[in-house]
Amino acid sequence: MKRLSFSALLLLFVVSLSAQLRWDVKAGMSVSNMTQMEEGAKFGYTVGIGADYAFSNMFSLQTGINFTSKGTREVDVEDDYRNYNKEVFKVFSHYAELPVLAAVKFQVTDDFKVLVNAGPYFAMGIAGKEEYTNTAIQGADYSYDLFKDSKGNKALMNRFDTGLQFGVGTELNDHFLINLTGQCGFISPYNEPYDRV
């Protein structure tokens, strides 16, 4: 089971320290899911600080620190006029990420560039929970911390994550950037083969 996520980022602020090095502040929305699971996608956030080191007008190295939420969510509702049952399963986790991306920029006009980037990312889990609620079954609800051992048992999820990140975006006037980013994790998030309780 691998994790897939997509982020739409609006880079709100760009500071150029030199002709080669530029820092930016990122904020945006993310949508993530886990493959080989029936659960649906979950919306989250991505914020961070990035650096762009230009080797030329066309090629640059991009990195930084991002804080992002990932997970999955499924809601089942049964309502047959006699009984109402709502079942909710969700996994939500928060990570600090370090991407290392090679970027290629294409100058379209004086004030407009299109860019594509790709490279590995490395992430460390900060916090997260797996939660389940069921209105029809008393005592079925549970909540587990994803990254902490529980009563001598191994943590449900690996704290470390790595994979491939790729994206496409635009730069406007060298001050505003809009980016669509995707990730494909190489490591299964769960320590053990997944078995929903």
Side-chain angles (χ1 to χ4, degrees):
M1 174 189 344
K2 303 296 187 291
R3 190 193 313 269
L4 296 172
S5 66
F6 294 91
S7 299
L9 293 177
L10 173 63
L11 307 189
L12 301 174
F13 186 65
V14 176
V15 176
S16 295
L17 298 182
S18 69
Q20 289 181 304
L21 182 61
R22 184 179 68 196
W23 293 91
D24 50 58
V25 176
K26 306 175 182 181
M29 180 187 74
S30 64
V31 180
S32 61
N33 197 359
M34 295 180 188
T35 60
Q36 300 176 19
M37 292 179 70
E38 296 179 2
E39 283 69 31
K42 186 177 186 306
F43 289 92
Y45 67 89
T46 299
V47 296
I49 297 174
D52 186 308
Y53 184 85
F55 296 104
S56 68
N57 289 334
M58 191 171 185
F59 300 102
S60 66
L61 178 68
Q62 298 177 332
T63 187
I65 295 292
N66 298 324
F67 296 93
T68 185
S69 64
K70 301 179 181 181
T72 187
R73 185 173 189 268
E74 185 70 20
V75 178
D76 292 322
V77 176
E78 296 179 6
D79 188 357
D80 62 2
Y81 301 104
R82 292 171 297 172
N83 297 308
Y84 174 82
N85 176 36
K86 184 177 182 180
E87 185 180 18
V88 180
F89 172 79
K90 58 184 175 180
V91 175
F92 54 95
S93 52
H94 308 278
Y95 285 84
E97 293 182 344
L98 172 70
V100 181
L101 310 174
V104 181
K105 301 179 182 182
F106 303 95
Q107 191 85 43
V108 179
T109 67
D110 289 343
D111 298 325
F112 181 78
K113 294 179 184 176
V114 174
L115 67 93
V116 292
N117 57 26
Y121 75 88
F122 308 93
M124 185 65 66
I126 300 170
K129 286 186 178 293
E130 177 180 298
E131 293 183 346
Y132 175 79
T133 57
N134 190 323
T135 58
I137 305 174
Q138 188 173 7
D141 299 0
Y142 67 81
S143 176
Y144 297 125
D145 192 311
L146 294 174
F147 299 117
K148 291 184 180 178
D149 295 348
S150 176
K151 298 179 181 179
N153 296 323
K154 185 187 288 187
L156 288 175
M157 270 195 178
N158 293 305
R159 196 173 284 273
F160 178 72
D161 184 30
T162 187
L164 175 66
Q165 181 169 314
F166 46 89
V168 61
T170 61
E171 292 187 8
L172 308 172
N173 297 320
D174 291 327
H175 294 292
F176 299 98
L177 300 98
I178 300 172
N179 216 28
L180 178 63
T181 299
Q183 289 182 339
C184 180
F186 293 156
I187 299 174
S188 175
Y190 281 87
N191 275 314
E192 302 291 343
Y194 179 73
D195 183 17
R196 179 168 159 182
V197 175

